[in-house]
Structures are given as C-alpha cells and as structure tokens.
Amino acid sequence: METTISSNIIWHRATVTRDRRKALTGHRSLILWFTGLSGAGKSSLAHAVEERLHQLGCHTFVFDGDNVRHGLCAGLDFSPEDRIENIRRVGEMVKLFLEAGVIALTAFISPFRADRDRVRSLVPHGEFLEIYCRCPLEICEERDVKGLYHRARAGEIKDFTGISSPYEEPIAPELVVETGCQPLEKSVDTVIELLRVRGVIGDGRAADGAFPQAVEGLGMNDQFVFAPVVKY
C-alpha cells in the first residue's frame, strides 16, 4: 500500500536525540524480528528474551501479533493486502521505538519476505535482526494452542498461513532458532548470545560498544544456526 506525505508536513528535529537516549540507558537500540509459523513459539520466545533483557537493565518492548490487532491494526483481516498493511504499520512503529532507545521485539508470522525486507530497509544496517523460529508444520499443528489449525483444516479460517496461505522462509536471517525441538531456555540463550556478539549487551550489563568484527571465528555477516539439543 503506497503512502503519500503532504508537502505541508515538515519533520521536526528533537533536541533529545537517539545518542542521548543511548547514553541514558547504557545500551543500543535495535529491532529483534521474530518470524515463523503460528505455533512456532515466536511470542513465547520474544517475551522470554524480553524478561532476560529486563533483568539485565535494558529498556524493551514486545510487539505481539495478536495484541496489536486490538488497537493499532484493529480492523485489518488476514487477506494478503491487510497482512501487508499490518506489517507496514508495525514497521513504522518499531522504527519510532528504535529512535526512542528501546530494544523492540516483534512476534509476527509476517509470512511475506518482501514485507520483512521492507521493514529492514527502514532502519540503518545492522539494526534489524531477523530471527527465524523454525518449527515443522506438523509440530505447530500438534501444539495448536489456539485451535486455529483445526479450524483452518475444517475450512473455517481462510488465508491461514501454512494451510491455505504461503509462508516464505527467510533467506538469510541473522539467527535461526530450532523452536520445534529446542527448549525455551536454550532458545533464549541463543538470542542473548547473538546480542552479545553484536555488542548490544555485555556480560551481565548493557553495552555501548560498537559491533565487534568477529567472535569465535564468526564474522558480522555470518548467520547463526543453533543446533537442537534433541532430535525429531
């Protein structure tokens, strides 16, 4: 959906800048974008990571896929067009939270690759970390916490990702977490380790250093793929 900005609107530059907010909080802000099928564990992981970061003294906020549809994205359905608009709105919101000095975590299926890439393009390089919660469809269906897969299979829900609507897997996410078989606590550890590697947090406290060039042989452009602790 194209947006047009009136020529009568001028951006107002605040005196309290992002750098000043960083100095106040003691850590950099960025976007952690959790994506994956319904039932893959995105919300559980995002909130668990936020809890860990909160304990480390970081300023955080989780944008949950269901929660935003109670307000910011109320009135949107799950058609391809409204899914695009849903992610567009969220993308603009997390960009503002980035400027506010907050570590913004999002938990959205966000099935279309182009939508995720569009949000990535809104912010400077390295400040959008795509985290793919990889979980086989059959395991997501077994979990079916909300009963949505059952209803989708029965034809009661249309445009349901993984059943009647596609999910486009990330091509080069910053992190792949095997949420289908890896315990939640271990998955949290992998995300926290990614943030340590990226210089967002330090050992037990927020960090304000620049991106490290390499950690344990990993370069800045390397993809993290953490192996599961149990097989399936």
Side-chain angles (χ1 to χ4, degrees), residues 42-52 62 64 67 105:
K42 302 177 298 298
S43 291
S44 296
L45 180 55
H47 283 282
V49 169
E50 182 188 36
E51 178 62 37
R52 184 81 65 83
V62 175
D64 183 85
N67 291 356
L105 306 90

Side-chain angles (χ1 to χ4, degrees), residues 33-36 40 45 129-136 167 169-182 186-191 194 198 222-228 232:
W33 192 277
F34 296 84
T35 178
L45 180 55
L129 304 184
E130 187 175 34
I131 300 175
Y132 178 25
C133 298
R134 185 161 58 190
C135 182
Y167 176 77
E169 292 188 343
I171 295 176
E174 279 72 21
L175 176 65
V176 178
V177 182
E178 301 291 353
T179 54
C181 51
Q182 184 166 266
K186 176 64 176 177
S187 296
V188 172
D189 289 342
T190 63
V191 177
L194 173 64
R198 294 286 176 136
D222 289 335
Q223 178 193 103
F224 277 28
V225 181
F226 289 87
Y232 61 95

